[in-house]
Every structure is written in C-alpha cells, then in structure tokens.
Amino acid sequence: MGVLIKNGTIVTAENEFKGDVYIAGGKIIAIGAKLGHRPDDEVVDATGKYVLPGGVDQHVHFSFTYNGSKVRGFETSNAAAVGGTTTLIEFVNQEKGKGLIETLEAYKASDADGIAMVDYGFHSVMTDPRDEVIEEIPKLAEAGYPTMKLFMAYKGMFFHADDDAILKALRKGKEAGVTIMVHAENADMIDVLTKQLIAEGKTEPYYHAVSRPPVVEAEATRRAIYLAELAGAPLYVVHVTCKEALEEIKQAYNRGQAVFGETCSHYLVLDTEDLARPNFEGAKYVCSPALRTAEHRQALWQAVDRKWLNAISSDHCGFDFAEQKHMGFGEGKSFADIPNGAPSLQNRLNILWTYGVCEGKISRTRLVDLFSTMPAKINGLDTKGHIDVGYDADLVVFDPEYRGIMSAQNNLEGVDYSPFEGFEQKGRPETVFLRGMKIVDNGTYVGQKGQGRFVPGKPYGAAYED
Ligand code: URP
Ligand code: ZN
Ligand code: ZN
C-alpha cells in the first residue's frame, strides 16, 4: 500500500511549489500535479499545508553524563518525531581503554537498536587519543560513522581534548573523509574564571555565563580554525553562539578555508536573562556555551539566513530540573556543579517556524536547508533531508494554522521542564512519515518503539565539498 499526499506546498532547500507526493516501499516514488493512486492507497489531503522533508538533528545527547548524572535516552526519541525530526545523530563518548568503533557498536546495540523511534546515526567523540585510537579514525568512515567530535571545553573531565589530539584527529580524519567537529571553548579560561567567581561567592546559575564569556568561545574557535588550516582539513564547529566566533568562521571561510558551523534552537530565542531567573530556575538554562545577550541572538539569526552558519541543531540534553539541575544548589555548591545542557528535542522546527519564518527572519526554503538538507549532507546521509524521487519517504505535513503553547506537559521528552515553557507556537507537524510509515497523526505519536533504523553515513560529507 502506498500513500498519496495531495495538494500540499512542497518545500525544499531550493524552492517551493504546489503538488502531490506519492510514496511506497519506504521511498518517494513520484512528485507532480494531480498524481493518480491505487484504490487501497491512503490519501492525505495537504491542502493549505506545507510538505517538508523530515528533519535531521545532528546534535543530540542521549548518553551524556555530567558529574555522574545521566540524561534521558532513545526511549524518548518519539519527541523528535512529534517535532518533525525523523533522523537523529547522537554524540557517543569513547569509553576509556576501548576503541572508537567498539564503543559505538556496544552503545548502539544496548541503547539504540530496538528502542529508537526515528532513524539514527552516531558521531564518535574521542576521549582517549592514544596512537592506536588515532590510527583507528579512518576506519570510522568505513563503519558508517564519518564524523568525530572533540571537546575543547570541560577541563578536568575525561572527555576534554587538547590541541595535540585535535591536530592529530584533523590530519588523520582527512585521510578518509571523516569530518572533525569541535565544541570550541577555551577550557583554561573557563577554569580560571570559575574558580575566581566561586571564591567571590558568586555561585548562582547566572555566573555560568560570566565564567564563559564570548571571548572564551572566540579564542577556541579561532584556534581550531588554525589547527584545521595547518592540517589542511575541513572543520565543523558545533553550537556557535556569539558574534565573535561567527566573525572567526566568516573570515576563515572568506580566506577559502572549509569551515562549517551550526547554532542551536535555544541560542536563537533564549538569553542571559533566563539564567538570572529567581528560585534557582536559572539552572534550567545552564548549557555550554552559555546563553548570550539579545545582540548575539540577532547576529545568529542573520548568520543562519545568510548561510554563514549551515545548520540548526537542538543540542538536546535531557537532564531533569528537580534532581539533576539541583546538583548545583546548596551549601558548597555552585553553577559549576549543574549538569550542562537543556532539553529541546521536540521544539526545533516549532521554534524555527514561529520565531524564524513567521517573524520574517528566514524563508521556508532556508528553514528546510537548516533543519534537514544541510545536516543530512554534512553527515553523508544521501537518502535523507530532501524531497525528490528516490529519497527516503521521511516527510512532514505541516499545518501553519495550528496555534498552541510549548510546555513540558505536552511534550514527550520525558524531562520535568522545558526551557521554552509558555512560548507561543504557530503551526505544527501534523502528520509525519518515517520511510513511508506514519509515525505522527494529527500531532500525536502513533509509531512504535524500535521502528527507527541505524543509517550509516558516507564519508566526505558537505564540509569536504567546498
Ligand atoms: O551544555 C551542553 N551543550 N551540554 C551537552 C554537551 C555539550 O557540550 O554539547
Ligand atoms: Zn558541546
Ligand atoms: Zn552538545
């Protein structure tokens, strides 16, 4: 049985047009006007609605631990589906003493296969840069994991990486088309500022932002760019948040260097004032890099519109407020004890539509590029992120007339708060297909646990094409 999605406005990263999409066998079979269908096919009337490619969220944490506290995992991936995201790529920290692929495959088998409710892939995170681990990097490409991240921040934590590891990774990665990603913040600057603030008794969540000002991010971004230049390798900078880091990326790009970057939904709509909320509520907004002021937010909207940044991810991190975020509360505790990261799996598209498209900051085609198409290309997912014959039938029928309010109560992330609580929502993913299977109907998740499949990425993703 196939499905005919009729009379919608089909939006791709290049254009939009009225038409029908016919899907069968998990793939897009035909696109056109007034397409026919078989008697037993399902027909979805998309009149007055938009048909978008399913989202690809390439920055998700389902296994992250901070100070021993762990986030929610793939059992909450139906939240992505309801938010119009049909592929997730998660960062998996290499276990000390184990190989990169060994860690990924063990995690995939125990925590994703048979559980995920949307398709999925993984980025390796190198934490143990022994010579034999560096030598393993090209093998990631063959195994379907063509991306690897290093954390320049988080001094003293097992996943922190120094310049030596980053340079070696960049050099080795380019041998096989593995894209190296960095979390760019200067760990020593943060360490000095953190100790100083705590000594001064400045321990509330707001001081998280004071401990890591824009210069911390700009310095590390610039350093990573120069390391990539020395290695002659492309670079991908995750969660860019400030004007200064943007400037470094823009200048490198204008010099002809392949430097790509993303920002994340929360940096586009939240700011440092949220960190200053009373009653320890500011802890909900502790993520790294820190939230910035409104002028940085405006610069980020401009950057995503003008293609200075290439993707918008969620950086979803499902820590509860009541227990986990409170690890920084009380005698002898500080912002430095609060697990970093915020839940945002479900609302990426809703934020981009309501506060981007509806406010005239980005076009619908630009939204599709940032939400689906470029993230697929960066990660070598050549059947995802686009609407054309032969692509996976990952599709969102988006109703622009829906009106609602974002809240932890009507969201499936399984976390006891949402950083977007009370935000107005215009439009919603009404129906979502994953490889032709209907997984969201009338805004409600109707799929099944384990319906998601591992999608191997191909090497030489978009960062290599420049
Ligand atoms: O605060 C954040 N972003 N937490 C998740 C880990 C990371 O740095 O991406
Ligand atoms: Zn990060
Ligand atoms: Zn992250």
Side-chain angles (χ1 to χ4, degrees), residues 59 61 64 149 151 154 183 239 286-288 315 317 340-341:
H59 192 149
H61 299 278
F64 191 63
K149 185 172 81 169
F151 280 107
Y154 302 120
H183 170 139
H239 49 40
V286 168
C287 59
S288 293
D315 198 1
C317 225
N340 284 204

Side-chain angles (χ1 to χ4, degrees), residues 114-308:
I115 302 171
M117 288 171 260
V118 292
D119 285 355
Y120 54 97
F122 302 101
H123 310 285
S124 180
V125 179
M126 186 166 68
T127 66
D128 190 8
R130 292 170 275 129
D131 286 353
E132 67 212 73
V133 175
I134 300 289
E135 288 305 315
E136 195 193 349
I137 295 172
K139 298 199 183 102
L140 286 169
E142 293 157 35
Y145 310 110
T147 47
M148 190 176 84
K149 185 172 81 169
L150 295 103
F151 280 107
M152 299 171 83
Y154 302 120
K155 187 180 167 89
M157 301 222 179
F158 80 93
F159 42 85
H160 168 76
D162 60 18
D163 294 353
D164 174 281
I166 296 166
L167 182 57
K168 287 176 182 163
L170 285 159
R171 282 184 163 165
K172 214 25 134 182
K174 80 167 188 183
E175 286 179 14
V178 174
T179 302
I180 300 301
M181 304 177 148
V182 287
H183 170 139
E185 286 188 292
N186 181 312
D188 287 306
M189 286 178 167
I190 296 166
D191 193 51
V192 170
L193 292 175
T194 300
K195 285 178 177 151
Q196 182 189 331
L197 287 163
I198 293 172
E200 290 167 1
K202 295 173 175 163
T203 57
E204 293 86 15
Y206 175 76
Y207 291 103
H208 175 73
V210 183
S211 75
R212 42 217 312 156
V215 64
V216 163
E217 184 182 337
E219 187 285 326
T221 304
R222 177 191 283 233
R223 183 157 33 99
I225 287 169
Y226 280 114
L227 290 168
E229 184 181 339
L230 183 62
L235 176 73
Y236 188 87
V237 186
V238 301
H239 49 40
V240 176
T241 74
C242 63
K243 290 192 301 186
E244 294 81 348
L246 274 173
E247 200 49 43
E248 297 294 343
I249 292 170
K250 230 164 63 181
Q251 283 180 17
Y253 197 81
N254 290 340
R255 288 197 300 269
Q257 222 182 312
V259 180
F260 278 54
E262 66 175 22
T263 192
C264 303
S265 20
H266 43 284
Y267 296 113
L268 293 165
V269 291
L270 300 172
D271 59 42
T272 38
E273 285 181 20
D274 292 297
L275 273 164
R277 290 189 190 212
N279 304 323
F280 206 64
E281 290 260 327
K284 294 177 177 175
Y285 304 90
V286 168
C287 59
S288 293
L291 296 176
R292 306 294 184 203
T293 54
E295 61 170 331
H296 293 281
R297 223 172 47 206
Q298 296 318 322
L300 290 173
W301 278 116
Q302 188 183 56
V304 292
D305 181 44
R306 299 193 181 170
K307 300 192 180 178
W308 299 334

